[in-house]
Amino acid sequence: MNDVILKIENVSKQYKLGTIGTGNISDDLKRWWYSLRGKEDPFLKVGDVNDRTKIGDSKYVWALKDINFELKRGEVMAIIGSNGAGKSTLLKILSKVTGPTTGSIKSKGRIASLLEVGTGFHPELTGRENIFLNGAILGMTKKEIASKLDEIIDFSGCEKYIDTPTKRYSSGMTVRLAFAVAAFLEPDILIIDEVLAVGDKEFQKKAIGKMQDISYGDGRTVLFVSHNMNAVESLCENGIVLENGNIVFRGTAKESVDFYLKNNNIETAKHLSFDDLGNDFVKINSISVNKSKEQINISDDLNIEVDFTILKETNKRIDISTAFYSEKEQLIFNVGTGFSNKSPISNVIDISQKLNLVIERPNLNVGVYSIKLRVVENRSGHAKFKVNDIISFEVKNDLKSDVFIQTNGVIQPVIQVNVK
Amino acid sequence: MSNNSHIKDDWLFEITPKNKLLDLNLKEVWSYRDLLFLFVKRDVVTAYKQTILGPLWYLIQPLFTSIIFTLIFNNVANISTGTVPPFLFNLAGITIWNYFKSCFTSTSDTFNKNAGIFGKVYFPRIIMPMSVVISNLLRFGIQLLIFSAFYIYFYSLGAEISLTKYVFMFPVMVLLMGLLGLGLGMIISSLVTKYRDIKILVGFGLQLLMYLSAVMYPISFFVEKMPKYAWVVEYNPLTFIIESVRGMLLNVSDFDWSKFVYATFVTLVILFFGIIIFNKSEKNFIDTV
């Protein structure tokens, strides 16, 4: 089991901030002068931590700093982190697109990377020609591609258009074809960056299924970067969390996802007031979830209060809906006044109204949830005003009996078990 | 962990910050030969898609340039091309010069033009400029055909032209021209990633270089008119290649072996430096391009 296939040792990457201009020549000369005398690059000693929200003193920044980890043969590892944490930089270094500033990477296998689907696709070439070109760019030989050609075309579902230039393809079809080529790569180590967020539902399912085949069925070593936490959990065994260029957590995929979500979450609240949230149609004054209670438990009803003011006269009915999302951006349910035949919201303007919405025992599992608020006119799909993540709240566990065993899902239903 | 030293020997490859000075992994390049040919195919197939005249453009450009050169340099400026029809003289020079020019200009733009691909996938970067040199060979071949057609035409009219025995060196000359374009192009391409000024320089630099490469005049003419500066043209390896090609095809001058050795040497030196510089910048160019 101790068969290490990829070893990353003290890898760091430094970037220069700002534009590259005349200042660069002087730095280049200084570097050259130091190296001539056999000294270390003077600019490697400086550099700020990679945090895009703070202004640093230095012209140089460390996008990655002293990254160490190992991949075992057959291991499927996820790298997660917020934007700018250094995930893509790490993948770029691993796929030899750019070199590390310091440190080294040792590999026992061929690495193929999928940082983008359809790299090198030429719009004037036909689908078939592009399969060959793209396959060769990804490191396959012509023979390998030819032997898998039928499977690739079949998987892409583009048989009919395979001899048409890809510029006539819809963007979805191009992506399907490109993913199909990539899916049949057979390297020892596969590096994948966020390519699952493509295509329609059916194809995404197919793609995730294929990825599962690759990682479990074929025992391939895979390094996977994604913001799709569901995909990470379902595809990977282990994970590391990157933050500001450093590894801040290692563990199983589930632990890593939990760590990441906990550390990167929006603050939870039970009541929020707003000074100027709204547009010329409506103004939202405040929102609250179970304001009077100390904490929200699994078994509680949810009591949503929205304080708002209509600003524009209209004779159409006005409805407000609240959509509940899990941490992993899954929609759990969407409820609102639109369900009743007559909207309880009155059309008077410039007077604040209070909407009270009670959701009886939704049985939300332990976790953090966010609400998307929409104000619609005439029950239409088009919102006059909407806010994503208007408020986030945390559900805690109050069911401490032995009977209760917490499950992984979003809903924690009340169950009765009988054996006869 | 006890057999750490044993494991170390098994690594297939290692990625480190520093490159060796000459790190051309020919075995790796060879394993990507299919990609090389697919790139060549792509360039050839897509070059003139959705144009009406298609590959005819390959012919129009050298023909018109030759006509203009003949009018300006031979008819107006009275440069003598000896017994050779001036049009054919110019066409020969332009055909071989064009091969160098297209190799040079397209390779010098390698990193910028392909930043999209290079930023996403690794393959030996040198595949790109190599494919350019090869696909331009095809274009050169077509232009050579039109030259042959005019050659036969003028020959049938009774012009005093004939092939010399040195014509067997013609492929070598073409190879030298391609390698020279490749070498210079790779040097420039690496500089362009950081300093875009170079790209502007290339545009008119090439134009100046053409005047110093005896494309539209025989070297003897230059020596006669400006003996003091003739060395600039004479030491230019391009001059030698163009002169020899004209010499062997039109029988206007002899093949100079000592100059051949000199030109080959210069070409190889330039190519060598080109590969070194290219290798040095291919690793991190994506950060600066």
Side-chain angles (χ1 to χ4, degrees), chain A residues 72-109:
Chain A
K72 294 194 177 78
R73 203 176 286 275
E75 188 174 352
V76 182
M77 191 189 262
I79 300 175
I80 45 188
S82 42
N83 286 336
K87 301 181 304 279
S88 298
T89 308
L90 182 59
L91 291 200
K92 273 186 182 169
I93 293 172
L94 287 175
S95 32
K96 293 210 265 182
V97 162
T98 182
T101 312
T102 64
S104 73
I105 291 149
K106 291 169 184 164
S107 168
K108 272 186 208 162

Side-chain angles (χ1 to χ4, degrees), chain B residues 6-130:
Chain B
H6 166 71
I7 290 175
K8 234 169 201 159
D9 300 333
D10 289 350
W11 298 116
L12 190 72
F13 64 87
E14 194 176 339
I15 306 171
T16 51
K18 292 256 169 2
N19 268 351
K20 275 173 275 166
L21 195 56
L22 187 65
D23 191 18
L24 183 60
N25 190 342
L26 283 175
K27 210 173 128 195
E28 196 186 19
V29 173
W30 177 247
S31 73
Y32 275 92
R33 63 192 180 280
D34 284 337
L35 180 62
L36 177 64
F37 289 118
L38 283 165
F39 274 140
V40 172
K41 193 179 154 197
R42 179 196 68 179
D43 289 348
V44 171
V45 171
T46 59
Y48 287 102
K49 276 231 168 135
Q50 264 193 24
T51 59
I52 296 167
L53 295 179
L56 274 182
W57 283 110
Y58 286 148
L59 309 180
I60 290 167
Q61 189 225 349
L63 284 183
F64 275 79
T65 319
S66 295
I67 292 169
I68 299 291
F69 278 10
T70 310
L71 287 175
I72 303 292
F73 293 102
N74 307 106
N75 293 7
V76 177
N78 259 333
I79 294 177
S80 162
T81 55
T83 54
V84 181
F87 177 76
L88 205 57
F89 181 92
N90 286 327
L91 192 59
I94 284 162
T95 305
I96 186 86
W97 164 261
N98 265 350
Y99 180 54
F100 167 78
K101 186 182 153 192
S102 51
C103 285
F104 177 66
T105 34
S106 11
T107 43
S108 68
D109 213 14
T110 305
F111 285 121
N112 283 309
K113 208 172 137 201
N114 299 299
I117 297 185
F118 285 180
K120 296 295 178 189
V121 185
Y122 172 81
F123 50 86
R125 303 310 191 207
I126 201 164
I127 294 275
M128 227 24 152
M130 279 168 83

